[in-house]
Amino acid sequence: MTRTPNQEASIRSWIYSPSRASGSVRFVREGLMSFKGGLAVNNYDLKASNAKKFVYSFDGGIFKPTIETAGPSRTDAYKECRYAIFKSPAYQGFEAGSRGMTVDMSECTRYTIAAPVRGVGTIEKVGSGVLVLGTGRTFADGYTEVRGFNDNTVTNDPTKVVESGVVTVQNAGGVHVAEGTVEVEAGATDVNSSFTVDAGCTVDLAGNTVELGALKGEGEVSGGTISAVCFKPLAEGESAATLKDVSVGKVYVDFGGAAAGKTAYRIAKVGTGVTGTMAGKTFRAKALNTGDATLKTADCTVDDAGNVFATPVPVGLLLIVR
């Protein structure tokens, strides 16, 4: 399906894909996909090869959740916490093309994408509502949002919530928080999931333990535990999103094959309330892709402004490797 500029595909309740559907639905050139319910693509016959792959592809298109204000009785919590799910996330999900996928949260206070986003493009979040990159949960009125659920129906039984283990943010372009807040749940990201956070915007870890990739921009990443993070050297004049009120575990630096000698690369920025590995003025990180087999680790320093610099060093000079 191709939408021309300013055309809108508006669905009051659900998009439902029958058991043997396959293929893709494509939105391009600012085409708008507007939901007043959820998005469900169910695959009942997992053995049918033509039923496995179903993709909603956005190549410059807009995904716009909206709250249903009429129809069946639902609590306010349900109206504010709609969601997108796929039954077979290993084969199904969203795709961000080279021109990206915009998630417009201007008409919805909270929306969860609990399905993998693949492709080469970027997920750009706009609007004041909170976009949640999520996994399974139960809403206040008993309705359950499930990521990669194993039975054939959406169920109200919280015991049926089964996480698939498929990372949500798989797209090469990562997530650009252009407005408001993006909330991240455990399991939705890994060390390849990069974020660019604009000034005044936030990536809220909401007390969760997550993995993250490179962090850029002038906004903040706050409020949880980062079990592992993989930074990349920042370009001249490029800003790093500020870590605030987080505990940091393992730190990796992907030098992109550019490391040489003892050059110090700016990789991150820390603010107040940072504990764990990055709490002090110096720490060590695991060096990746240095272009030199002897450069296995990186010595990291934090200046008075909170800027973090990493210098790859030969492994023979180190006694302790974290």
Side-chain angles (χ1 to χ4, degrees):
M1 178 186 295
T2 299
R3 294 287 173 190
T4 56
N6 301 321
Q7 285 189 318
E8 177 176 337
S10 181
I11 298 92
R12 286 190 63 83
S13 184
W14 293 91
I15 283 184
Y16 171 74
S17 175
S19 61
R20 293 186 177 274
S22 63
S24 65
V25 179
R26 190 163 183 251
F27 295 82
V28 300
R29 296 181 60 199
E30 301 180 4
L32 178 65
M33 191 175 194
S34 179
F35 286 90
K36 294 184 179 179
L39 171 65
V41 178
N42 293 309
N43 179 1
Y44 295 132
D45 186 358
L46 299 179
K47 295 180 180 179
S49 60
N50 68 334
K52 286 188 175 181
K53 185 174 183 180
F54 200 100
V55 176
Y56 284 89
S57 178
F58 293 82
D59 191 6
I62 303 168
F63 177 79
K64 184 178 182 181
T66 57
I67 296 175
E68 177 65 84
T69 57
S73 175
R74 293 284 188 263
T75 66
D76 288 341
Y78 183 81
K79 292 176 183 177
E80 295 180 1
C81 296
R82 299 304 181 105
Y83 50 88
I85 61 175
F86 290 80
K87 184 174 190 292
S88 299
Y91 307 102
Q92 303 166 343
F94 296 100
E95 179 181 75
S98 60
R99 288 178 288 185
M101 170 183 176
T102 297
V103 181
D104 183 350
M105 293 293 296
S106 61
E107 295 186 26
C108 186
T109 57
R110 186 177 179 87
Y111 194 90
T112 299
I113 290 182
V117 182
R118 302 178 175 93
V120 299
T122 299
I123 305 166
E124 181 178 52
K125 186 269 182 186
V126 299
S128 60
V130 176
L131 173 64
V132 182
L133 302 174
T135 52
R137 69 157 51 72
T138 301
F139 295 122
D141 63 354
Y143 282 81
T144 302
E145 173 265 308
V146 193
R147 178 173 182 241
F149 57 94
N150 286 343
D151 60 342
N152 287 340
T153 59
V154 177
T155 175
N156 292 340
D157 183 355
T159 65
K160 296 295 184 180
V161 177
V162 181
E163 296 184 14
S164 67
V166 176
V167 173
T168 301
V169 183
Q170 297 184 32
N171 54 304
V175 179
H176 175 201
V177 189
E179 294 177 340
T181 298
V182 168
E183 186 177 306
V184 181
E185 295 183 350
T189 55
D190 63 15
V191 294
N192 296 306
S193 303
S194 64
F195 286 81
T196 298
V197 191
D198 286 358
C201 300
T202 302
V203 172
D204 183 4
L205 306 185
N208 297 307
T209 298
V210 306
E211 295 182 355
L212 295 175
L215 303 174
K216 300 180 181 180
E218 298 181 353
E220 294 182 351
V221 178
S222 64
T225 298
I226 303 174
S227 58
V229 59
C230 185
F231 296 113
K232 293 183 178 181
L234 295 163
E236 185 69 28
E238 194 170 41
S239 300
T242 302
L243 296 172
K244 183 179 179 181
D245 297 325
V246 296
S247 176
V248 181
K250 296 179 181 178
V251 179
Y252 302 88
V253 183
D254 182 351
F255 288 97
K262 294 187 176 180
T263 301
Y265 296 84
R266 189 167 52 90
I267 60 168
K269 187 171 184 178
V270 295
T272 59
V274 175
T275 60
T277 302
M278 299 179 69
K281 287 292 187 180
T282 62
F283 61 93
R284 285 198 179 124
K286 175 73 173 179
L288 306 175
N289 197 16
T290 61
D292 184 338
T294 68
L295 303 178
K296 300 292 187 181
T297 59
D299 282 342
C300 301
T301 60
V302 183
D303 68 14
D304 291 340
N307 295 301
V308 182
F309 297 85
T311 303
V313 295
V315 68
L317 297 181
L318 300 174
L319 298 177
I320 300 174
V321 178
R322 292 184 178 177

